[in-house]
Amino acid sequence: MLSHDIRQAASILQQGGVIAYATDTVLGLGCDPHNRGAVDKILWLKQRSLDKGLILLVEDLAAIEQLSHPLSAKLRLEITAAQKNSPTTWVVPANDAVPTWITGTHEGVAVRIPQHDTARALCQAGGAIVSTSANISTHPVATTSRELRDWFGPHLDYVLEGAPGTGVASEVRALMGAKVYRHGS
């Protein structure tokens, strides 16, 4: 991925834009999680309820702790070990820095450290990013840039080209406890 493309996408995110990009799982729609207007636009595009909450991609464990409370060494190891096996999204207790339009009706925030080069570089360039599958809720996920443009057309401010990873949504599980909200690949 050209660093110019990453810088361009990060700049658009900082300006309140909505982008499409490849992740370690599927093609995703993203925006700055602190920009309510951009989040509302994604929810409108997906026809998704605010109540459900959204996943955030973050650069590393330190970024997770900016959204939660400090993690014990055991929990840090659990996250690191799971990342090596398959993409895992963790639900952690949200702190006051997380907007309610990200958590929805939940007390936790869903976060993932991407292993995909594009998504990881985007987080490094611009910080946390909303990550939700590129589809209208209950419909199949877009698998090509062409489908992205056909479905979302002029409502996307940028499409960061790249192939997604597994093609299957990540597993979503509670960091504390054994609850699995969604099984992944």
Side-chain angles (χ1 to χ4, degrees):
M1 177 62 49
L2 297 174
S3 61
H4 169 76
D5 293 333
I6 296 294
R7 286 194 310 272
Q8 178 73 20
S11 175
I12 289 168
L13 291 171
Q14 291 168 352
Q15 295 169 32
V18 171
I19 68 166
Y21 61 102
T23 74
D24 40 350
T25 56
V26 297
L27 293 177
L29 299 178
C31 69
D32 175 352
H34 296 285
N35 186 311
R36 176 68 189 262
V39 171
D40 285 344
K41 184 175 178 181
I42 284 181
L43 295 172
W44 174 76
L45 286 170
K46 288 185 59 76
Q47 299 173 23
R48 179 184 171 103
S49 168
L50 175 72
D51 293 348
K52 288 186 169 187
L54 292 162
I55 293 172
L56 299 181
L57 294 186
V58 297
E59 183 178 357
D60 54 23
L61 289 168
I64 290 175
E65 289 181 316
Q66 291 175 356
L67 303 168
S68 183
H69 303 288
L71 303 173
S72 69
K74 179 182 177 195
L75 293 175
R76 293 171 71 87
L77 282 173
E78 185 175 345
I79 292 171
T80 303
Q83 292 300 121
K84 293 176 184 176
N85 297 325
S86 65
T88 304
T89 298
W90 298 96
V91 178
V92 300
N95 67 23
D96 292 341
V98 182
T100 56
W101 54 83
I102 296 298
T103 59
T105 59
H106 310 282
E107 293 181 14
V109 60
V111 293
R112 184 170 77 248
I113 302 169
Q115 302 303 308
H116 190 278
D117 290 342
T118 300
R120 181 171 279 258
L122 197 53
C123 290
Q124 289 169 344
I129 180 175
V130 165
S131 184
T132 184
S133 56
N135 66 322
I136 296 169
S137 292
T138 73
H139 289 73
V141 177
T143 58
T144 66
S145 295
R146 171 80 182 187
E147 285 180 334
L148 287 169
R149 287 183 176 93
D150 286 349
W151 294 355
F152 303 115
H155 303 294
L156 293 177
D157 298 301
Y158 193 73
V159 175
L160 188 57
E161 298 291 337
T166 65
V168 178
S170 68
E171 180 169 288
V172 179
R173 65 170 116 152
L175 181 58
M176 296 180 193
K179 183 167 184 165
V180 176
Y181 297 96
R182 178 178 73 197
H183 292 280
S185 55

